[in-house]
Amino acid sequence: MNILVCIKAVPASTKVNLDEVTNTLIRTGIENVINPFDSYALDLALRLKEKYQGRVDVLSMGIPETEQILHHAYSLGVDKVTLLTDRALAGADTLATSYSLASTIKTLGQIDLVLCGKQSTDGDTAQVGPEIAEMLNYPHSTYITDILLAEDKSHLVVKRRTSEKSQTILIDLPAVLTVVKGMHIPKLPTLEKYLGTLDKKVDKITSLDLSLDTSRIGLLGSPTQVVNVFTPNQAKRKKMILGSLDEQAEKLLEILKFPKGESNGNY
Amino acid sequence: MHLIKKFTTKDISLLKDESRMIGEAESVAFPSSTKEVLEIMKEETLPITIQGNRTGLAGGAVPLGGLVLNLLKMDKILSLNDLLVSCQAGVLLSSLTNFLDSKNLLLPPDPTETSASIGGMVACNASGARTLRYGPIRPWVKFLKVVLANGEVLELTRGKHFARGSAFTLITNEGSKIKGELPQIKMPNVKNAAGYFIRPNMDLIDLFIGSEGTLGVITEVKLRVLPKPKKISAVTCFFESETEALDYVTEVRKSEVNPAALEYFDENALELLRNERMKNPAFTNLQELPLNYYSAVYTEIHADSLTEQNKLLKLIANYIISNNGNTLHTWLAVNNTDLEQLRYFRHATPEIVNLTIDKQRKIYPKLTKLGTDMAVPDDYLHQVMELYHSDLREAGLQYVIFGHIGDNHLHVNIIPRNDAEYNLGKALYLDWAKQIVAWGGTVSAEHGIGKFKREFFALMYDKKTIAKMKQLKTIFDPKHRLNLGNLFLEGDN
Amino acid sequence: MEIIKNKCIGCGACLNSCSFNAIEIIEGKAIFNDNCTLCGLCISVCPENAIVRNDKKQTKDFSDYSGIYVFVEKEKNVVKEVSYQLVSKAKILAKSSDDFVTSIIINPTEAEISKLSSAGSDKVIKVKANLPKENLLANAQVLFDIVKVYKPNILLIGATPDGRSLAPRVAAKLKTGLTADCTMLSIDNDLLVQTRPAYGGNIMAEIICPNHRPQMATVRPNTFKIEKYDLKSEIISINYEKTFNTGIRVLDTLYEENKSDLEHAEIIVGAGRGISNKETLELVFEFAELLNASVSASRPLVDASWLGYERQVGQTGKTVSPKIYIACGISGAIQHMAGVSGAETIIAINNDPNANIFKYADYSLVGDVANVLKTMINKLSSRKD
C-alpha cells in the first residue's frame, strides 16, 4: 500500500506570552515541530507499512524554513518528503491549501491512502483533510484512531472515535482519513535511521512546477480573509462566582451551558 | 503576632514531605518577605522547621513540634542581570525554569523534581541528571540572604567571605560578629549531599549550601545561569547485559562526547516499565520497549551546532556498537517534544515503584520504599553494581536499580512485600553504606541526610566529627531552634 | 500585508510576535521576508499601527443569494441542541439585516419542525430521503444539492465532530470559504463577521468571506441561547431521490463507552483532597452523571485508594483536554495542573480562598464543595424532569 501523509510544521507551543511592559505578543523562541495530530497520522502510516509493506511519503506546504523539521520524517522511516513552497502560496486559507495539496497529490503517482492529522494545533480548523478528499473525489472519514483491517487495496476497516461515539467504518480506497491519538504513542526516531538519512534531501517544489491555477492559491485564492486578530483579555475572563449558595449554583449552571461566555450574556 | 497562626487540621499536609514521614506542629507561618521572616524569628520561641514545597525524600521539612515556617509565599523572581537571576526562596523550580526558558536561559544542574523550591534546593545542595556535566547547584549559587536564629541577617556573596585556615568571622547586617572554628573533616571525593561542606580557607557561602536549614533560613538566592545550548539531544540505548552497559558508560563519559547526563535502567526497572505500560492506562504513553534487552542507558548531549550534534551522535553510535548494542533499537530525541518523552520514561520509573509500594502498604501499613542515594568513586562502579545485585538476589528481594550512572550514583529501590523483607532490606542498606564509605563514597549524593539518614551519616563521620559539626551549628543557632532533627539527633552530644 | 515605511519606527515589537522569523529590521525599518505566512499576528502588536492588511473588498454581485440557512444535525434520531441554538442566533442576525432564516432538516418529525419554528426559523426545508445510515458523505451531498438550488447568503452548521467533518466537504464542493468553530457572529454590510479562537484559544481572529457564497461557518455548541418565538414556519418539502455511492459504510456505532474515557471527555469533574468523605465523593459522581461528564481525581484521592489510578490526572497520571474542567476540592498543585493545562475552561470550587487552583481557574467559587454539589444536583435533576 502506498500511503501519503500530509503534515504541517507548527509552533511547539500554542502559548502566547505577553510582554509585561509593552503588553504585546511574544512568540519568538518557540520551537517549530511536526503538528502533533500529524505525528499520529505518520505513526499510523509507518505501522501499516511495517505490517503490509509499501511506502510512506510525506507532503507539506509551508515556508522554506520548515525543511529541517520535515527532514525529521526521514529519521522515522519515511521514504520521501516533498515540500510545496513559494511566496505565491502564502496566506492560503483552508480551501486554497486543500486545492494546492490535492493538486500536488495528483502528481505524486499511485497513492492508495492519504492520512492527515485531525487538525493543526495552530489553526485548529480540521478542514483541510475533508476538503482534500472532495477535491480528489475520494471518500473521507475523520477522528480515526486505528486501522483495523487492510487486507486488500480496495477498502479498509477503520475505527472512528469522537467525544460522542465510536464507530467502525468500511471505506473504499483510495481514501482520505484524518487521525487522532489512538492506542499508541508515536515511535521515536532511531539513531540508526537518523544517521543513515542525514544526506537525504527534502524535495522542494513550487506552484510553477505544478502549474497550479494562480487564482486558486495563496491569499488571492482564499475565499476567507482574516480582518482582525486580538488576544482575549485573560484578566477580564477570570470571574468570581459570588452570592448566596442558590445564586452561586444558578450562575454555575449558566457557565456550564456557556463556558466561553455567551455573546449577549453577562459573563 | 498575626504572622504566626495556630496549626489546624487544614494545615495537616504540612506535617509531611515526600519521605512520607509524619511530624507534628503547634503553629504555622507563611511569610512573604525577609522582613516577615525576621519578625517571626524574633517573635517565636519554639523550635522552627523551615519548609519549601516539601519535595525532600529525607524528612528534612518534617516538623518535630513547634512552628512550621513555610516559605512558599516568598515566590517572587526579583531580577535578571548578566546571567545572574535573583529570587526569593519559595520560588518553585518550575516557575524559575519557565522564566529562564522564555529568555533562552538554563539553570544547568536541572533537578528532576521541578516542583522543588529554590531555597530547598540550595539548602540541600540539590543535583540532577545534568550534574554529571555541570555539577550540583553549589557552584551556581552566587549570593545568599540568610536570616539567623538571633533575628539578624547575613548576606553572603561568593568570592567575598573566606575562612582563614579554619578560623572564620562573619558580620551580620546588624553589625554582630560571628566567629568560629571549622572542624577538620575529610569529605568524600564524589557527588555529595551528606552534611556540611567544610574545607580550610573555604568560601563561607558554601557552609550554608547543603546545610539543610540547620544554620539559618535562606530567604533570597542569586544563581548564575547559562545561555541554553543550541542543540540538546538524547539517546536511550539498550544492552543485552549490564556489563556491556557499564562498559559503555565508562567509555562514553570520559570521551569527547562529554555527556550532560547518563542515566541507567536495570533489567528489573525495564521489566516493571514494560508490565505497567501494558496494564496501567496511565502509562500507555510510554514507548514500546524492545524485547530481549536487559539494561538501558540514557545519554544526553549539549552541542553548539547541528554539525557538532551530529558528530557527537555518530560517536555515541560507535560506542553503542562497540559494546554490543544495536543502533536500530534506540530512541533518539533531537527536539524538545521528544526529549520530554525520554524524560517521562525516566520519571515513570520511581513513580511506578511508589505505586507498587502503595499497593503493598494496604496490607502492611508500616512499609515504605527503601531507596538508596549512595555514590562511589569511578573505579568502583562495576563493583558496587555487583554488590547490590548479589546481595539482593541472595536475599530474594524485589528491587530496581536506576539513576545517575555517570556519577556512579545509582538509586537502589527495594520493594518490600512484607515487614520481614522490609527489615532485611534495611539491614542490607546499612551494610552497603559501610562498604561504600570504605570505598571513599557517600551515603547521600543528593537527597541529604534529613531525619531519615542520620544513621548512615554516623557511618561516614565518627562521633567526634559529628559533635564538632554540631558545635558549628551552635555558633549560628545557640539554642538549636532551627530544623531540629536534621543531621543531628538532639540531646546526643 | 504591508508595512507603511514612514510610520515604522523600527522598534522591533513585531519581530517578537512572529513565530516564523518572517520580519527583519533593515536600516531601522521592519520588512517582511519570504517566511511570512500572512497570519497577521504582528498587526495588533505594532504601536504605530504601521502594519496594515490590504483588505479585499466585496467586488462581485451576490444579489441572487439571500437568507441565513442552518443545517440541522440529528444524532440517534434526535436533533442536536446546537441546531436550535444556531436557528435562534440566525434569527437575531436576520433581524439586524432584514433577512430570513431557513432550517434544512432531513426526515424530520412534526415536533422537530415546530421546535425549529419556535427557535426562530422562518422557513423549514423538509427533506424526505432514504439515505444510508449515519453516512456523513451522503448528508454532504444532499446539503450541496439543496444549497445549489436555494442559494443561501449564509450557511451555518454546528461545530460538532460530525458537523466539522461534513461542513468542509460541502464547502469544497461549493468552492467557498468556511470558518471553523466560531464563537461569535455578527453582520456588517451584508458580510458575516465570524470570530473564532486560534492557537488553542489564545488568540481570537475575525474572519470574513467577501467574494464567495454562501458564507459558511461551523459554530461551537453552547455558544448561543435558544430563544422562543411565536412563529409558524413556511414548509418547503423536498423528495430527494438521487442515489449515489459514497464510498463509506458505517458498520457499527457505540454511544456509551466514552464516558469513563478521560482523554476524550468534553466535561470532566475532578475530585481532590478537599473531598473529605465518601459521601461527598458520591455527590461528585451524581453531579457528573447529570452533566454527562467523566470523573477524574488528583493524586491524594488515588493514593488513598478512593478512586482508581486510571482516573488520576496530573504529571504522574493522565493529561486531559476537556472543554470544561470542574475542579472540586482540588488544591491546584502544579503537578496536578500539568495534567489539565489543556482544559479550555476551568471552574474551581474550593473552601480555601487561598487555594492555588484559583490562580488557574476561569471561574472561582469559594464554598463548601458538598453544599455546592447538593444544590447543583437538585437544580439539574429538577430541570431534567
Coordinates of all heavy atoms in Angstrom, one line a residue, chain A residues 125 127 143 163-164, chain C residues 71 73 80 82-83 86 156-165 167 179-183 217-223 266 323:
Chain A
T125 N -8.6 24.1 12.5 CA -9.8 24.1 11.7 C -10.3 22.7 11.4 O -11.5 22.6 11.3 CB -9.6 24.8 10.4 OG1 -8.8 24.0 9.5 CG2 -9.0 26.2 10.6
Q127 N -10.3 21.2 8.7 CA -11.0 21.3 7.4 C -10.2 20.8 6.2 O -10.7 20.4 5.2 CB -11.4 22.8 7.1 CG -12.5 23.2 8.1 CD -12.9 24.6 8.0 OE1 -13.7 25.1 8.7 NE2 -12.3 25.4 7.1
Y143 N -11.5 11.8 12.7 CA -11.3 11.2 14.0 C -11.0 9.7 14.1 O -11.6 9.0 14.8 CB -12.6 11.5 14.9 CG -13.0 12.9 15.1 CD1 -13.8 13.6 14.2 CD2 -12.6 13.5 16.3 CE1 -14.1 14.9 14.4 CE2 -13.0 14.9 16.5 CZ -13.7 15.5 15.6 OH -14.1 16.8 15.8
S163 N -16.0 12.5 20.7 CA -16.4 12.7 22.1 C -17.8 12.1 22.3 O -18.2 11.9 23.4 CB -16.4 14.2 22.4 OG -17.1 14.9 21.5
E164 N -18.5 11.8 21.2 CA -19.8 11.3 21.4 C -20.0 9.8 21.2 O -20.9 9.2 21.7 CB -20.7 12.0 20.4 CG -20.8 13.5 20.6 CD -21.4 14.3 19.5 OE1 -21.3 13.8 18.3 OE2 -21.9 15.4 19.7
Chain C
F71 N -28.1 24.1 8.8 CA -28.2 22.7 8.5 C -28.5 22.0 9.9 O -27.7 22.2 10.8 CB -27.0 22.1 7.9 CG -27.1 20.6 7.7 CD1 -28.0 20.1 6.7 CD2 -26.3 19.7 8.5 CE1 -28.1 18.7 6.6 CE2 -26.5 18.3 8.3 CZ -27.3 17.8 7.3
E73 N -28.6 19.1 12.5 CA -27.9 17.8 12.6 C -28.7 16.9 13.6 O -29.2 17.4 14.6 CB -26.5 18.0 13.2 CG -25.7 16.7 13.3 CD -24.4 16.9 14.0 OE1 -23.9 18.1 14.0 OE2 -23.8 15.9 14.5
K80 N -29.8 17.8 17.4 CA -28.8 18.3 18.4 C -29.2 19.7 18.8 O -29.6 20.5 18.0 CB -27.4 18.3 17.7 CG -26.9 16.9 17.5 CD -25.5 16.9 18.0 CE -25.0 15.5 18.3 NZ -23.8 15.3 17.6
V82 N -27.4 22.1 19.4 CA -26.7 23.2 18.7 C -27.5 23.7 17.5 O -27.5 24.9 17.2 CB -25.3 22.8 18.3 CG1 -25.3 21.6 17.4 CG2 -24.5 23.9 17.8
S83 N -28.3 22.8 16.9 CA -29.0 23.3 15.7 C -30.1 24.3 16.1 O -30.2 25.3 15.4 CB -29.7 22.0 15.1 OG -28.7 21.1 14.7
L86 N -28.4 27.5 16.8 CA -28.0 28.3 15.6 C -29.2 29.0 15.0 O -29.0 30.1 14.5 CB -27.3 27.3 14.6 CG -26.0 26.8 15.0 CD1 -25.3 26.0 13.8 CD2 -25.1 28.0 15.3
L156 N -25.0 28.0 8.2 CA -24.4 27.7 9.5 C -24.6 26.2 9.8 O -25.6 25.6 9.5 CB -25.0 28.5 10.6 CG -25.0 30.0 10.4 CD1 -25.7 30.7 11.5 CD2 -23.6 30.5 10.3
I157 N -23.5 25.6 10.4 CA -23.6 24.2 10.8 C -22.9 24.1 12.1 O -22.0 24.8 12.5 CB -22.7 23.4 9.7 CG1 -23.4 23.4 8.3 CG2 -22.6 21.9 10.2 CD1 -22.6 22.8 7.2
G158 N -23.5 23.2 13.0 CA -22.9 23.1 14.3 C -21.5 22.5 14.3 O -21.2 21.6 13.5
A159 N -20.6 23.0 15.1 CA -19.2 22.5 15.1 C -19.1 21.3 16.0 O -18.3 21.2 16.9 CB -18.3 23.6 15.5
T160 N -20.0 20.3 15.8 CA -19.9 19.0 16.4 C -18.8 18.2 15.7 O -18.5 18.6 14.5 CB -21.2 18.3 16.4 OG1 -21.5 18.1 15.0 CG2 -22.3 19.1 17.0
P161 N -18.4 17.1 16.2 CA -17.4 16.3 15.4 C -18.0 15.9 14.0 O -17.2 16.0 13.1 CB -17.3 15.0 16.3 CG -17.5 15.5 17.7 CD -18.6 16.5 17.6
D162 N -19.2 15.6 13.9 CA -19.8 15.2 12.6 C -20.0 16.5 11.8 O -19.7 16.4 10.6 CB -21.1 14.5 12.8 CG -20.9 13.1 13.2 OD1 -19.8 12.6 13.3 OD2 -22.0 12.4 13.4
G163 N -20.4 17.6 12.4 CA -20.5 18.8 11.6 C -19.2 19.3 11.1 O -19.2 19.8 9.9
R164 N -18.2 19.1 11.8 CA -16.9 19.5 11.3 C -16.3 18.6 10.3 O -15.3 18.9 9.7 CB -15.9 19.7 12.5 CG -16.3 20.8 13.5 CD -15.4 21.0 14.6 NE -14.1 21.6 14.1 CZ -13.1 21.8 14.9 NH1 -13.1 21.5 16.2 NH2 -12.0 22.4 14.4
S165 N -16.9 17.4 10.1 CA -16.5 16.5 9.1 C -17.2 16.8 7.8 O -16.7 16.7 6.7 CB -16.7 15.1 9.6 OG -16.2 14.2 8.6
A167 N -19.1 19.8 7.0 CA -19.1 21.1 6.5 C -17.9 21.4 5.5 O -18.2 21.9 4.4 CB -19.0 22.1 7.7
T179 N -15.4 29.0 7.8 CA -14.7 29.3 9.1 C -15.1 28.3 10.1 O -16.3 28.1 10.4 CB -15.0 30.8 9.5 OG1 -14.7 31.6 8.4 CG2 -14.2 31.2 10.7
A180 N -14.1 27.7 10.8 CA -14.4 26.6 11.7 C -14.6 27.1 13.1 O -14.0 28.1 13.5 CB -13.2 25.7 11.7
D181 N -15.5 26.5 13.8 CA -15.6 26.6 15.2 C -15.8 28.0 15.8 O -15.1 28.4 16.7 CB -14.3 26.0 15.8 CG -14.5 25.2 17.0 OD1 -15.6 24.8 17.3 OD2 -13.5 24.9 17.7
C182 N -16.7 28.8 15.1 CA -16.9 30.2 15.5 C -17.5 30.3 16.9 O -18.3 29.4 17.3 CB -17.8 30.9 14.5 SG -17.0 30.9 12.9
T183 N -17.1 31.3 17.6 CA -17.7 31.6 18.9 C -18.5 32.9 18.9 O -19.2 33.2 19.9 CB -16.7 31.6 20.0 OG1 -15.7 32.5 19.7 CG2 -16.1 30.2 20.2
A217 N -20.0 28.8 8.0 CA -19.3 28.7 9.3 C -19.8 27.5 10.1 O -21.0 27.2 10.0 CB -19.5 30.0 10.1
T218 N -18.9 26.9 10.8 CA -19.4 25.9 11.8 C -19.3 26.7 13.1 O -18.4 27.5 13.3 CB -18.5 24.6 11.9 OG1 -17.2 25.0 12.2 CG2 -18.6 23.9 10.6
V219 N -20.2 26.4 14.0 CA -20.3 27.2 15.2 C -20.3 26.3 16.4 O -21.0 25.3 16.4 CB -21.6 28.1 15.2 CG1 -21.7 28.9 16.5 CG2 -21.7 28.9 14.0
R220 N -19.5 26.7 17.4 CA -19.4 25.8 18.6 C -20.7 25.7 19.3 O -21.4 26.6 19.6 CB -18.3 26.4 19.5 CG -17.8 25.5 20.5 CD -16.7 26.1 21.3 NE -15.5 26.0 20.5 CZ -14.3 26.2 21.0 NH1 -14.2 26.4 22.3 NH2 -13.2 26.1 20.3
P221 N -21.0 24.4 19.7 CA -22.2 24.2 20.5 C -22.1 25.0 21.8 O -21.1 25.3 22.4 CB -22.2 22.7 20.8 CG -21.3 22.1 19.7 CD -20.3 23.2 19.4
N222 N -23.3 25.4 22.3 CA -23.5 26.1 23.6 C -22.8 27.4 23.6 O -22.3 27.9 24.6 CB -22.9 25.2 24.8 CG -23.7 23.9 24.9 OD1 -24.8 23.8 24.5 ND2 -23.0 22.9 25.4
T223 N -22.8 28.1 22.4 CA -22.3 29.4 22.4 C -23.4 30.4 22.4 O -23.3 31.5 22.9 CB -21.5 29.6 21.1 OG1 -20.5 28.6 21.0 CG2 -20.8 31.0 21.1
E266 N -15.6 15.6 27.2 CA -15.8 17.0 26.9 C -15.9 17.8 28.3 O -15.5 18.9 28.4 CB -17.0 17.3 26.1 CG -17.0 16.7 24.8 CD -17.4 17.7 23.7 OE1 -18.2 18.6 24.0 OE2 -16.9 17.5 22.5
K323 N -13.4 20.4 27.3 CA -13.8 21.8 27.1 C -14.0 22.4 28.5 O -13.7 23.6 28.7 CB -15.1 21.8 26.3 CG -14.9 21.3 24.9 CD -15.6 22.3 23.9 CE -15.3 22.1 22.5 NZ -14.6 21.0 21.9

